[in-house]
């Protein structure tokens, strides 16, 4: 049985296969680099789930994650439902909320982009609040929540909450102090030879949440 979100690792790596491919990276090799670095929780982000390359890769990525013992979160999409059984399904702001708890017994998480509590989150087991800061890759996107915004989301929901978007290593101790469960990282890790960088993040997160 999967552990409850309260017991999850403080650091979640967000792998976007489409983003990796666009950068000339093999998502399988990228994930292997992250897992070698000691990453213990992964979210597979499905921006282009109908891309046949992504559909083909999903079972392999999930299997690699499972083999390493890492926790697996997958964006909820009809195609993904038939390809893998993760520890948790993640729903973006555009994904329709389920009408009941997952029949598969997996956790359900939502993206939180504003401080206001919304009815669709009543069935949530965890939240990912974004963006903490303005990501370099998304200038002109959503207004950043800032530390105060993510703190209010975490406290107002009383759910384990991870911050995503423009997160730097220096933010980790602050997020811990604010009561967040951890941080999620996407863009900075989509690089060749990512193992040393990811390892430094894992060590920094372990130190921050051990305080």
């Amino acid at each position: 049985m999967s552990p409850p979100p309260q017991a999850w690792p403080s650091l979640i790596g967000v792998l976007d296969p489409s983003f990796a491919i666009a950068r000339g990276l093999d998502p399988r090799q990228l994930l292997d680099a992250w897992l070698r670095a000691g990453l213990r929780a992964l979210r597979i982000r499905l921006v282009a789930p109908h891309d046949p390359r992504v559909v083909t890769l999903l079972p392999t990525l999930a299997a690699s994650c499972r083999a390493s013992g890492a926790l697996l979160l997958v964006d909820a999409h009809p195609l993904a439902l038939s390809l893998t059984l993760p520890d948790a399904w993640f729903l973006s702001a555009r994904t329709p909320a389920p009408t009941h708890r997952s029949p598969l017994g997996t956790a359900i998480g939502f993206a939180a982009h504003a401080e206001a509590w919304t009815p669709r989150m009543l069935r949530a087991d965890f939240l990912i609040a974004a963006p903490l800061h303005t990501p370099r890759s998304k200038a002109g996107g959503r207004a950043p929540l800032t530390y105060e915004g993510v703190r209010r989301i975490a406290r107002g929901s009383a759910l384990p909450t991870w911050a995503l978007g423009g997160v730097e290593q220096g933010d980790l101790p602050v997020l811990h102090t604010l009561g967040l469960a951890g941080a999620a990282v996407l863009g900075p890790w989509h690089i060749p030879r990512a193992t040393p960088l990811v390892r430094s993040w894992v060590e920094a997160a372990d130190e921050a949440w051990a305080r």
Side-chain angles (χ1 to χ4, degrees):
M1 178 176 290
S2 303
Q6 291 83 351
W8 288 359
S10 56
L11 188 65
I12 299 175
V14 183
L15 176 63
D16 184 336
S18 301
F19 184 49
I21 292 170
R23 287 192 163 196
L25 302 170
D26 184 330
R28 294 164 297 187
Q29 295 177 2
L30 188 62
L31 176 57
D32 287 344
W34 294 7
L35 295 174
R36 285 197 305 271
L39 184 70
R40 301 187 297 275
L42 173 78
R43 171 189 160 200
I44 299 179
R45 182 174 183 248
L46 299 176
V47 174
H50 293 288
D51 185 332
R53 297 172 297 180
V54 174
V55 173
T56 300
L57 284 170
L58 185 56
T60 302
L61 296 173
S64 295
C65 191
R66 290 293 192 200
S68 75
L71 192 83
L72 177 62
L73 293 71
V74 177
D75 284 12
H77 186 276
L79 285 175
L81 296 176
S82 63
L83 292 174
T84 185
L85 177 58
D87 297 290
W89 295 108
F90 180 73
L91 290 82
S92 71
R94 295 181 298 274
T95 309
T99 56
H100 50 72
R101 288 282 185 182
S102 170
L104 302 176
T106 54
I108 294 176
F110 288 89
H113 298 301
E115 296 175 17
W117 181 254
T118 59
R120 75 193 302 270
M121 295 179 185
L122 291 175
R123 300 177 185 88
D125 298 297
F126 68 97
L127 299 175
I128 294 182
L132 172 62
H133 307 305
T134 301
R136 297 172 185 172
S137 61
K138 291 188 176 181
R142 295 181 186 272
L145 291 166
T146 72
Y147 289 142
E148 180 61 17
V150 297
R151 182 191 70 82
R152 288 181 179 176
I153 288 172
R155 293 192 179 184
S157 67
L159 291 171
T161 302
W162 282 257
L164 170 70
V167 179
E168 302 286 349
Q169 283 193 27
D171 294 314
L172 300 179
V174 181
L175 293 173
H176 173 257
T177 301
L178 294 175
L180 271 76
V185 183
L186 195 164
W189 293 4
H190 284 67
I191 59 172
R193 298 176 292 281
T195 298
L197 174 63
V198 177
R199 182 178 293 119
S200 71
W201 274 85
V202 171
E203 293 171 352
D206 287 348
E207 179 180 356
W209 269 268
R211 298 178 180 181

